[in-house]
Amino acid sequence: MSDSAEAIHARLAELTAPTARSQVVDLGCGAGPTLRALSRIAPDAALIGIDRSEEFLQQARQNLRGHHGPVETLAADLRAPLPCDDASADVVLSYNTVECLPEPQWMLTEVARVLRPGGRAILAHVDFDSLVIAGADADLDRRVCHAFADDAQSWMDHSDGRIGRKLGQLLARSPLKLVSVEPLLTWSTELSGHAEDRIGQIRKALLSAARHGRDSVGSAEVEEWYAAVCEADRLGGFFFSELAFIAVAERSCDEPESDGADPPTRSGPVSRGTGWGTRHAAAA
């Protein structure tokens, strides 16, 4: 669990607006940072974390030991039907998970099935193709950042570094009604906290890509880029920013359960905000 990403989890909890009677499902919950943020504002809500990693689920159980309400953690593949009853959840949320799914629209049909009428879906994701990092030569920096956005790391079934900007479109094409899309920007002038975590992930992922023959940037260039970023920080000229998006949709109160047919395209309003974002895992 990354403390440097705490603000986005707090924002997700705020948008969820849980009550003591709420049942909230977190898809791709990881070690449970969003569920922990939910627990702080609704200690009696029913929380369900779903992830395919038993190691992450064990961490989530540890991190939620102090929660007063019901807690359930389930190991499941999000490419399969969700292990939840029809119309059983008040909110289904997911952070930095959708890009790993080859067919995210199918999962959204499942989300619509699981939500109660009037229930809310909240998708959040970093747009990795929007990274801004000052320090290295412009050409090298572009190639490194785009290589990271495009890299399908060894633990990923699928990747899309531009998925953040597509969340509203995904929800608008789902059985759900798109309500809002808001951007969250994190930035730093120091190589510390979240900025240091992300840059370390970029370095590790691209060195792994080079070792496994997935590289578009060689190991020596990755290290050259990293050294330039560290030098910029030493000289006081470092800058980092990362953009994430949060999209909110609802299941209509009078909408029947999905029959699997293609839903009509919908649209929704756009709002603005500030906050943080982080990727769940680094390269092997």
Side-chain angles (χ1 to χ4, degrees):
M1 188 180 304
S2 173
D3 290 336
S4 69
E6 187 63 33
I8 195 168
H9 301 296
R11 179 58 179 153
L12 290 172
E14 180 182 11
L15 288 169
T16 300
T19 67
R21 296 183 178 182
S22 295
Q23 179 160 293
V24 182
V25 179
D26 186 353
L27 303 180
C29 66
T34 303
L35 294 173
R36 190 171 71 167
L38 286 163
S39 179
R40 292 193 190 107
I41 63 175
D44 296 314
L47 305 179
I48 300 174
I50 298 176
D51 201 284
R52 71 178 184 179
S53 168
E54 183 56 41
E55 180 181 355
F56 275 143
L57 291 174
Q58 289 178 3
Q59 294 177 43
R61 286 190 285 272
Q62 285 290 108
N63 290 323
L64 293 167
R65 281 180 302 174
H67 185 67
H68 296 162
V71 174
E72 189 172 8
T73 56
L74 303 172
D77 188 334
L78 298 182
R79 297 170 298 180
L82 297 178
C84 302
D85 293 336
D86 295 356
S88 60
D90 297 290
V91 180
V92 178
L93 58 87
S94 185
Y95 172 57
N96 271 8
T97 298
V98 177
E99 77 157 326
C100 299
L101 300 174
E103 298 182 13
Q105 292 291 167
W106 189 88
M107 187 196 78
L108 292 178
T109 300
E110 277 292 285
V111 170
R113 175 185 66 79
V114 168
L115 283 173
R116 296 182 175 126
R120 174 172 288 196
I122 304 173
L123 298 184
H125 216 293
V126 173
D127 192 284
F128 292 105
D129 208 34
S130 300
L131 289 168
V132 175
I133 303 172
D137 168 79
D139 177 67
L140 178 58
D141 185 66
R142 288 191 191 102
R143 289 194 292 115
V144 165
C145 290
H146 288 309
F148 178 68
D150 294 342
D151 183 41
Q153 298 174 43
S154 58
W155 54 270
M156 301 170 75
D157 299 317
H158 181 267
S159 70
D160 183 349
R162 294 162 62 89
I163 195 67
R165 69 192 71 180
K166 300 175 183 177
L167 294 182
Q169 182 180 25
L170 286 172
L171 285 168
R173 292 178 174 176
S174 78
L176 303 165
K177 180 181 179 181
L178 180 64
V179 175
S180 66
V181 180
E182 64 179 61
L184 290 89
L185 181 69
T186 177
W187 60 274
S188 178
T189 57
E190 296 181 354
L191 185 56
S192 61
H194 180 74
E196 184 176 27
D197 290 347
R198 177 67 72 225
I199 286 169
Q201 288 172 7
I202 293 171
R203 181 190 185 197
K204 184 177 180 179
L206 294 186
L207 289 176
S208 176
R211 288 196 302 272
H212 292 89
R214 303 191 312 269
D215 60 309
S216 57
V217 181
S219 298
E221 290 183 306
V222 173
E223 296 292 34
E224 178 187 346
W225 172 83
Y226 181 71
V229 169
C230 292
E231 179 67 3
D233 181 59
R234 187 184 71 81
L235 296 174
F238 172 80
F239 182 81
F240 168 90
S241 72
E242 178 179 277
L243 186 62
F245 293 92
I246 299 177
V248 179
E250 293 179 350
R251 178 179 169 183
S252 297
C253 291
D254 57 352
E255 183 177 327
E257 292 182 18
S258 174
D259 60 3
D262 291 336
T265 299
R266 301 184 177 93
S267 60
V270 177
S271 60
R272 294 186 178 182
T274 57
W276 291 79
T278 185
R279 207 167 195 164
H280 270 319

